């Protein structure tokens, strides 16, 4: 069925290193993808988005890459900081479904000081 | 600007009891969402409103869950009667977008429900 998933449930990185969080999606009709960050006890917070007509988008310390050929999405965080520790979700927007956003299961990122 | 407000933040009830959650979205946001987030999983959409109309409630267990958004602003989500498997965080989100446009969703802090 249609789903958005992640390759790794947990990821530990050393402070200052770069982090890469991966996501696979199965619906080739999806045309909008979003990364959210969720800290403990809080709701998800928007990080960055990308449309299907792009393959790369950069923000502040974050880059999202989209490979439509293999239906793969990644979030790169440069110079990872302790404040980056959180669960990261990729989400898929199926515009034909009244803009319903489907979230993947999440990757827990732990930053080692 | 003020964010999405939710109350209560925590609720503990026994199975078969009823519970209600309240959400106040960001002012002017047309679209409001309720999600259920079970521990260790991503949020799952329960219902989506555009103004005060329902545009998607395909994953709402309608035999026990109900939601309304009167006057296109605040919303309440009710569970009656609750089951053990309803233990989760209930997230409310709002978005200024309407169908056919893109945009991020702004989430509230959620209500953590524990059903004993």
């Amino acid at each position: 069925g249609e789903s958005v998933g992640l390759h790794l449930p947990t990821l530990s990185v050393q402070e200052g290193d770069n982090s890469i969080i991966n996501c696979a999606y199965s619906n080739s009709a999806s045309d909008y993808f979003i990364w959210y960050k969720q800290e403990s006890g809080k709701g998800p917070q928007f990080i960055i988005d990308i449309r299907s007509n792009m393959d790369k988008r950069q923000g502040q310390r974050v880059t999202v890459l989209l490979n439509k050929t293999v239906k793969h999405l990644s979030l790169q965080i440069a110079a990872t900081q302790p404040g980056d520790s959180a669960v990261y979700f990729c989400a898929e927007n199926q515009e034909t479904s009244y803009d319903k956003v489907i979230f993947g299961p999440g990757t827990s990122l732990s930053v080692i000081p | 600007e003020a964010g999405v407000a939710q109350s209560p933040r925590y609720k503990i009830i026994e199975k078969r009891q009823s519970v209600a959650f309240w959400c106040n979205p960001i002012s002017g946001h047309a679209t409001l969402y309720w999600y259920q987030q079970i521990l260790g999983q991503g949020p799952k959409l329960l219902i989506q409103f555009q103004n005060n109309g329902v545009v998607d409630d395909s994953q709402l267990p309608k035999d026990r869950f109900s939601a309304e958004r009167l006057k296109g602003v605040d919303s309440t989500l009710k569970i009656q009667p609750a089951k053990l498997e309803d233990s989760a965080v209930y997230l409310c989100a709002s978005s200024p977008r309407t169908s056919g446009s893109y945009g991020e969703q702004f989430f509230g802090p959620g209500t953590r429900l524990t059903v004993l």
Side-chain angles (χ1 to χ4, degrees):
Chain A
E2 300 169 356
S3 65
V4 178
L6 292 164
H7 293 306
L8 293 173
T10 61
L11 178 65
S12 295
V13 299
Q14 204 73 35
E15 181 179 358
D17 287 352
N18 296 334
S19 302
I20 300 176
I21 301 172
N22 294 305
C23 175
Y25 65 95
S26 58
N27 186 358
S28 57
S30 295
D31 51 11
Y32 179 57
F33 304 89
I34 316 107
W35 281 100
Y36 282 91
K37 172 186 179 183
Q38 187 173 26
E39 297 175 278
S40 182
K42 297 182 179 180
Q45 179 183 15
F46 175 93
I47 301 173
I48 192 168
D49 58 0
I50 189 168
R51 298 184 183 184
S52 59
N53 61 353
M54 303 169 69
D55 53 20
K56 180 179 180 179
R57 191 168 186 214
Q58 289 185 295
Q60 187 177 12
R61 283 202 305 119
V62 294
T63 301
V64 56
L65 299 177
L66 176 62
N67 185 331
K68 295 181 289 293
T69 302
V70 295
K71 300 194 194 78
H72 184 267
L73 194 68
S74 69
L75 177 70
Q76 301 178 0
I77 304 174
T80 312
Q81 302 169 0
D84 295 326
S85 293
V87 177
Y88 290 81
F89 295 97
C90 65
E92 168 185 18
N93 179 253
Q94 301 172 338
E95 191 179 16
T96 55
S97 301
Y98 302 100
D99 291 333
K100 178 162 60 178
V101 173
I102 296 180
F103 284 78
T107 292
S108 178
L109 175 65
S110 295
V111 181
I112 305 166
Chain B
E1 71 184 353
V4 176
Q6 290 188 248
S7 68
R9 290 296 313 277
Y10 305 91
K11 190 72 178 180
I12 300 174
I13 61 173
E14 296 190 348
K15 60 183 178 184
R16 292 188 288 274
Q17 287 187 323
S18 301
V19 65
F21 312 126
W22 173 82
C23 173
N24 180 235
I26 293 173
S27 178
H29 280 195
T31 306
L32 185 147
Y33 313 79
W34 282 103
Y35 289 88
Q36 179 192 60
Q37 186 175 25
I38 293 173
L39 185 65
Q41 299 181 17
K44 182 185 81 170
L45 180 69
L46 293 176
I47 189 167
Q48 177 180 344
F49 293 94
Q50 186 170 313
N51 297 311
N52 61 346
V54 176
V55 296
D56 188 346
D57 63 356
S58 57
Q59 298 192 94
L60 187 74
K62 299 179 185 65
D63 58 333
R64 298 184 301 105
F65 286 65
S66 64
E68 60 181 9
R69 190 184 185 196
L70 299 176
K71 301 180 181 178
V73 183
D74 292 7
S75 178
T76 56
L77 176 70
K78 297 179 181 179
I79 307 175
Q80 179 180 10
K83 293 185 176 181
L84 297 177
E85 58 261 36
D86 297 332
S87 294
V89 174
Y90 290 85
L91 294 162
C92 179
S94 69
S95 170
R97 69 184 185 189
T98 56
S99 180
S101 61
Y102 296 107
E104 65 180 280
Q105 296 181 22
F106 297 81
F107 283 82
T111 296
R112 181 176 296 276
L113 174 67
T114 302
V115 181
L116 302 176

